[in-house]
Amino acid sequence: MILKNNSTLIFLGDSVTDCGRSPDGELNLGSGYVNLFSSMFRIAYPEAGVRFINQGVSGDQTRQVLARLERDVLSIHPDVVTLLIGVNDVWRFFDRPFAYQGVPAEEYRDNLKKIIEPILAGGAKMLVMTPYMIDRSPYEPMRTKMLEYAAICKDTAQTYGVEVLELQPVFENLLAKGITSYELSGDRIHPSQKGHFAITMALMEHLRPETD
Amino acid sequence: MILKNNSTLIFLGDSVTDCGRSPDGELNLGSGYVNLFSSMFRIAYPEAGVRFINQGVSGDQTRQVLARLERDVLSIHPDVVTLLIGVNDVWRFFDRPFAYQGVPAEEYRDNLKKIIEPILAGGAKMLVMTPYMIDRSPYEPMRTKMLEYAAICKDTAQTYGVEVLELQPVFENLLAKGITSYELSGDRIHPSQKGHFAITMALMEHLRPETD
Amino acid sequence: MILKNNSTLIFLGDSVTDCGRSPDGELNLGSGYVNLFSSMFRIAYPEAGVRFINQGVSGDQTRQVLARLERDVLSIHPDVVTLLIGVNDVWRFFDRPFAYQGVPAEEYRDNLKKIIEPILAGGAKMLVMTPYMIDRSPYEPMRTKMLEYAAICKDTAQTYGVEVLELQPVFENLLAKGITSYELSGDRIHPSQKGHFAITMALMEHLRPETD
Amino acid sequence: MILKNNSTLIFLGDSVTDCGRSPDGELNLGSGYVNLFSSMFRIAYPEAGVRFINQGVSGDQTRQVLARLERDVLSIHPDVVTLLIGVNDVWRFFDRPFAYQGVPAEEYRDNLKKIIEPILAGGAKMLVMTPYMIDRSPYEPMRTKMLEYAAICKDTAQTYGVEVLELQPVFENLLAKGITSYELSGDRIHPSQKGHFAITMALMEHLRPETD
Amino acid sequence: MILKNNSTLIFLGDSVTDCGRSPDGELNLGSGYVNLFSSMFRIAYPEAGVRFINQGVSGDQTRQVLARLERDVLSIHPDVVTLLIGVNDVWRFFDRPFAYQGVPAEEYRDNLKKIIEPILAGGAKMLVMTPYMIDRSPYEPMRTKMLEYAAICKDTAQTYGVEVLELQPVFENLLAKGITSYELSGDRIHPSQKGHFAITMALMEHLRPETD
Amino acid sequence: MILKNNSTLIFLGDSVTDCGRSPDGELNLGSGYVNLFSSMFRIAYPEAGVRFINQGVSGDQTRQVLARLERDVLSIHPDVVTLLIGVNDVWRFFDRPFAYQGVPAEEYRDNLKKIIEPILAGGAKMLVMTPYMIDRSPYEPMRTKMLEYAAICKDTAQTYGVEVLELQPVFENLLAKGITSYELSGDRIHPSQKGHFAITMALMEHLRPETD
Amino acid sequence: MILKNNSTLIFLGDSVTDCGRSPDGELNLGSGYVNLFSSMFRIAYPEAGVRFINQGVSGDQTRQVLARLERDVLSIHPDVVTLLIGVNDVWRFFDRPFAYQGVPAEEYRDNLKKIIEPILAGGAKMLVMTPYMIDRSPYEPMRTKMLEYAAICKDTAQTYGVEVLELQPVFENLLAKGITSYELSGDRIHPSQKGHFAITMALMEHLRPETD
Amino acid sequence: MILKNNSTLIFLGDSVTDCGRSPDGELNLGSGYVNLFSSMFRIAYPEAGVRFINQGVSGDQTRQVLARLERDVLSIHPDVVTLLIGVNDVWRFFDRPFAYQGVPAEEYRDNLKKIIEPILAGGAKMLVMTPYMIDRSPYEPMRTKMLEYAAICKDTAQTYGVEVLELQPVFENLLAKGITSYELSGDRIHPSQKGHFAITMALMEHLRPETD
């Protein structure tokens, strides 16, 4: 996707996106991939002039993103929106298995549709990143479920013709090349700085400046 | 093993044992399995009168345990010593892969011998717990290496006729019954309170009062 | 009492129950008997799948429990509720003797009825624990009054056919066997971890899994 | 005892005396009976001009007082020394029953002698306060042992002709008149401000100004 | 004045009274004369059973006391009220001379009337303490003005037949006997603990138990 | 006195000089008159290029200044030294009257000589400021003693032909013109910012640039 | 401008004015030029009796000053108002270039008019300080824009016959004389104490007492 | 320069390098360019296996680097060393102009030689980065001096045939393309994250993996 000069880009997501950003989403872009990507992009393409806004909220599932969509995204009239949501829809089934806070698969798909449709209707382009677990093992039940949701996410995005960046292969490829899971994340979800660089460098290939 | 009335028991190990214990090892037993076990044992067998001392130190490998053996164990002349060491001998190969801080397998075996021999020579009985990773997957390279070290640990202990409590099967059995890895540990090494209870309840079967 | 698989259990009480739990009562179960019991039960019976909710509030007397009953208990439609309340109804007569904040005996009985009736009417089963003071002496005036309230509590519960767990004999039995009062509690009310284990192990006998 | 004008008075003891005093013992007299007594004495007898020094150290048993006697008392050449020590000699048998940190009765008596003799030899007068437990019950084992040590303390002091202030009757008399144990102390050892006033007002009767 | 058994006493005032008391005025009585007096009274007369409530608020002038009179005093229906107010009515003319926050003398007199009348009408007895500056010098302009306000305070109280305790002579008498101003207060207004004892011991003579 | 261009000026004194300066005395000049003077001088005479070093130490009496003279002053070979010492020599007689920490008048005079002589011998010029108490009253005993020490200080300095800046008249003149003591200082010793400006502006008249 | 005796002066501005002042603007005047000026003025002219109020708010642009004009300035009916605003109107174009938070030049001029007119209409006199950047270089784009806004500010003030103090030449003059930019400010906007003295001493020439 | 697989790379420098790194230089690589570069390199070239060690110390000039060269660099026997030193050699002339802490140009050249020679003699390769000031203006005296030192640095390195990365043109090029100085640094020395990315991306071009 081409990021036009002087356009506005919103990063929408959960704690992987949030990383301690300021309430306005601009004064402090947090310590994760949003900050890394926007700094690197600004230095690499100083004439592009893109406005970056972090709208990640720690703990969010698709339910909460849906509830704050108008205020945090639509009212700002962005040119581009990236979306990375779903990790917590799955994780709550596994870290709090009896609290009934996971989001069922069908509700996940519906919520995604209700998030994507108004954003596209508002005239923005989207890049959807799929949820992941930094683990290569078929023995881990949460990875199995995460793959299912990642497939739903990819499928839903493509229904609307939206560009997709699959993160599970990004991480599994690094694991296969000898980077350990502890280098990328302490808990297999929240990325370390190396993990955030993995996302950042994948994003740099998907979001290109108008004139390179 | 029978814990005789009025005997002294030292728990020797790393951060899994330490858990914030006080420097003297008695005033505060930490927040992990040492504390759970000693409290439960005291309530279940109020007439046993056992003295419990926590000598775990966060971050320790066999190298550091060896260096502090005289001061922290032998000089106290305990009746029983439990040992849980080796997790960090392995982990350092994986969380800091280029810092050359892991302990090679043969050094691990030698260090264990140098820890066990003087304790037995001092007249104490031992219970050795094997290192573990809370993961069931053959795809995880660190688990493969941890199994290797656990086998060395078990083998070494049995050479001296010392009782062994294998922790890997304790955790894998719980995973197999549907307890998730996140319930037992955030990072697959440091136990949550549930994880510490798994160790505690296994210990309760291995360390019995003189008269039940 | 049998805790059916996949049932919901609420622990209702004061600071002895609360122990720093999170506002939602599930994310953090506090550092007392609720946490010990639920962790031990989960490890001992991994297939039971019980949801545990801590609804203790520090400082509560029966008056405050009554006021928050709808929100904190009834609206959640639990399957089982444990109740441990009354310590503060009595204690306020003794630590703030002129502030008129103790609850008279008859009001205590009435409040208990108003707490128990709607819970039973909502279809939940109950286990009532009686208030206690960790002291064996007839010379201590607060213990005398606490025994009176414990008797009211037991009598009221039995009127409704509710199961009762008397805690005063649990603690006095341990004192008689040589455990000191300072091991169980600094102030004879708030349990140490050993004191919480005394409650926990008594609870483990009263709350049994569906299939052991 | 008469406190002569312009004399120097040292308060020697444990945490009941210490109460957060400054290292030099004069800049901050702590928040306990030393501060209350010296302030009240200064206001009641403004012309007396007495120098007050707090040499209490939290946690001290007779062993530690003995070890610091030269530095903290003798080298200052006081005119009067009050001594309140022994609570921790007993308490350690009860709050850490298996850590072997209590002081046996005969050692307690010997230590007291070794503390009193050089102070008297240095020309100071002494007032010895006996250790106490704020509890009236013969059912409490620690009170029984504390009474034994208080008797040793009184007996030893009187052997040297030293004035004695027995604190156990001071507190039991207040309990008998309806002041509750929680008003005087949370843990039956460390006094509340009311508890410190009980000591202070007893001291005011034992330490009189030169001219009233 | 006789404090009847089981009566309720409210201390009304500014920071000299407040001293860090808890919002309810009972749980924590602060670190000043209210705490010293109530503790000493409780120990000296254990059978009196008086309820003490601290309603001091730091920074208050008569204006603020008037505004909170209904909530903090009248609604509690006390038996006795002590009043110590006026220091800040004067001080604001001297520490912030151009901020126009001092209370003129006539307003001070009127405010006192509006405070005293409803308290007496509510059936309570009063003891009025006059404002003071811990300084003996006619060269200090603030002392001159404080003496003027103290005279207004005494005169107003006597108009209603209310008992008066003049604090300026209490402090000047101690200064005359050689206690330095720095012993009584760092800033000549806020008492040190010795300064609070001076107030406390004067109060002990004015507020007597029913049966001594 | 003329401050030559590129000269080094040391401010020597107690807490009035110190005011939180950094250990090296240059990185942070503190929040008192040293900082105000050096900033104002630098802005007023930007071409003068004077190096300023704060060597005040809170709590110092002449005894402590003497002990650190070699390290803090002589070894730096300053061109000019200002000295403001003596407040604590007197104050200790009044805030801790029985701790025997005041410096007698004759020792004060001797100490001053031992401070001044080696500084002059080292080739530096001096400006001596006399100790003060911000109070105009002959009724205040500490002011009487401070005036005595200020006279000793002035007399001693003049014996050596050293320039003197008397601070007592600086402050009394402001008090006489209607500035209140609370504007200049909370405790009549430590200056507020206004009080530090009083010193600063007096210093600006005594320390002049080479070319104005 | 002559500051009449007993008049009220409000300092209106942004973080350069605010510097940590208290909410009421009087209790604490902050650590910047407002505090320096008012302290120096009070000491230099003790009989003037001027009331100083700091109404600076960190981060403010003309937009925010306009919004709070009624509450923070007009309702107080000051005699004199100083205004220093505009730095942030410009800076936001440079430290957050894509967040669209700078104030365009024409809006800046309009906002200034809407601030000045009601203040003058309320009967106050004004002194307007122009925004600045502590940099002498024509190569710095932000200085170029700041000069443009300073010119607008000066021009607007003079339209109303208001006295102007240009700060850019104050700072550039000091830089030209060898004071480095780091002595005056770390970031070329927020003054160090030396930088605040530069403003203070310029203000002392513009705001004169009624009788010197 | 080619970074061979499994080689060890030390980053040597001042606060620009340090950025809060851990004492061992490996556990925490700080928050600056060292961390960014090593994370990006690890993700981009997962098979390279390079060990990264941060040996920056905040505040260091060449003098301090020289003093710690043996311990921090030579004893580790690195394969490659990057050096970025000199900013503080210059800056101290400007932020503390009269404290005589700047390093003269000839001493700077000599120190560089004494740093480079033993590193090369130890068998390591070097990459020298030149000191910079993020300012384009010939009106800024510190930039003029920094350019002089950067020339010395470049010249000295080239004398030894060492590769040089000039940072001044890196930053000036970005300023010329419209990135503001405040985006790159608040004080024109310490880089923001964007500023650290500018260094990082220049480093990525100079330090290449063995097989890309």
Side-chain angles (χ1 to χ4, degrees), chain D residues 109 113 154-162:
Chain D
R109 184 189 301 272
K113 287 181 182 172
K154 179 183 177 184
D155 178 62
T156 306
Q158 288 179 337
T159 301
Y160 294 95
V162 161

Side-chain angles (χ1 to χ4, degrees), chain G residues 12 69 73-74 78 81 115-126:
Chain G
L12 187 59
L69 192 65
V73 181
L74 304 181
V81 176
I115 293 167
I116 293 171
E117 283 180 8
I119 292 176
L120 296 178
K125 291 199 288 183
M126 291 190 74

Side-chain angles (χ1 to χ4, degrees), chain E residues 11-74:
Chain E
F11 300 89
L12 187 58
D14 53 29
S15 65
V16 179
T17 302
D18 183 330
C19 289
R21 57 124 176 156
S22 57
D24 74 342
E26 292 194 87
L27 186 49
N28 180 341
L29 289 168
S31 62
Y33 74 88
V34 176
N35 194 15
L36 294 176
F37 175 81
S38 56
S39 291
M40 193 188 298
F41 194 90
R42 177 69 173 142
I43 294 299
Y45 314 113
E47 282 131 343
V50 176
R51 181 186 187 189
F52 300 105
I53 305 175
N54 182 338
Q55 296 290 37
V57 172
S58 288
D60 265 19
Q61 299 170 315
T62 47
R63 290 168 181 166
Q64 289 79 37
V65 167
L66 198 52
R68 62 185 175 87
L69 192 65
E70 175 60 33
R71 191 194 57 193
D72 283 4
V73 181
L74 304 180

Side-chain angles (χ1 to χ4, degrees), chain F residues 10-203:
Chain F
I10 288 181
F11 300 89
L12 187 59
D14 53 29
S15 64
V16 180
T17 302
D18 184 329
C19 291
R21 58 126 175 152
S22 58
D24 74 342
E26 291 194 88
L27 186 49
N28 180 343
L29 289 168
S31 62
Y33 75 88
V34 176
N35 195 15
L36 294 176
F37 175 81
S38 56
S39 292
M40 195 188 296
F41 194 90
R42 176 71 172 142
I43 294 300
Y45 314 113
E47 281 130 345
V50 177
R51 182 185 186 191
F52 299 106
I53 304 176
N54 183 338
Q55 295 290 37
V57 172
S58 288
D60 265 19
Q61 299 171 316
T62 46
R63 291 167 180 168
Q64 288 79 38
V65 166
L66 198 51
R68 61 185 175 86
L69 192 66
E70 175 61 33
R71 191 193 58 193
D72 284 3
V73 181
L74 303 180
S75 70
I76 300 174
H77 302 294
D79 301 293
V80 179
V81 176
T82 73
L83 177 69
L84 171 49
I85 199 72
V87 161
N88 292 316
D89 296 63
V90 173
W91 204 3
R92 290 300 87 77
F93 287 112
F94 292 86
D95 60 355
R96 304 186 210 165
F98 306 105
Y100 307 118
Q101 297 185 338
V103 174
E106 278 317 298
E107 183 185 346
Y108 177 61
R109 185 189 300 271
D110 285 349
N111 288 344
L112 282 178
K113 287 180 181 172
K114 292 176 188 160
I115 293 167
I116 292 171
E117 282 180 10
I119 293 176
L120 296 178
K125 290 197 289 182
M126 290 190 74
L127 172 66
V128 170
M129 291 178 273
T130 55
Y132 61 86
M133 181 178 193
I134 304 178
D135 195 306
R136 302 170 65 205
S137 164
Y139 290 73
E140 170 55 61
M142 185 162 110
R143 177 178 170 276
T144 304
K145 198 173 190 86
M146 197 69 80
L147 289 176
E148 175 194 351
Y149 280 59
I152 291 172
C153 180
K154 179 181 176 184
D155 179 62
T156 307
Q158 288 180 337
T159 300
Y160 294 95
V162 162
E163 185 172 344
V164 174
L165 163 51
E166 293 180 86
L167 291 178
Q168 189 73 23
V170 167
F171 288 117
E172 293 203 16
N173 184 43
L174 290 168
L175 291 173
K177 287 186 176 167
I179 294 189
T180 75
S181 75
Y182 289 105
E183 288 186 274
L184 294 171
S185 172
D187 59 11
R188 295 179 284 172
I189 294 294
H190 294 103
S192 65
Q193 176 148 304
K194 285 179 193 163
H196 278 293
F197 258 111
I199 301 175
T200 300
M201 292 168 80
L203 272 179

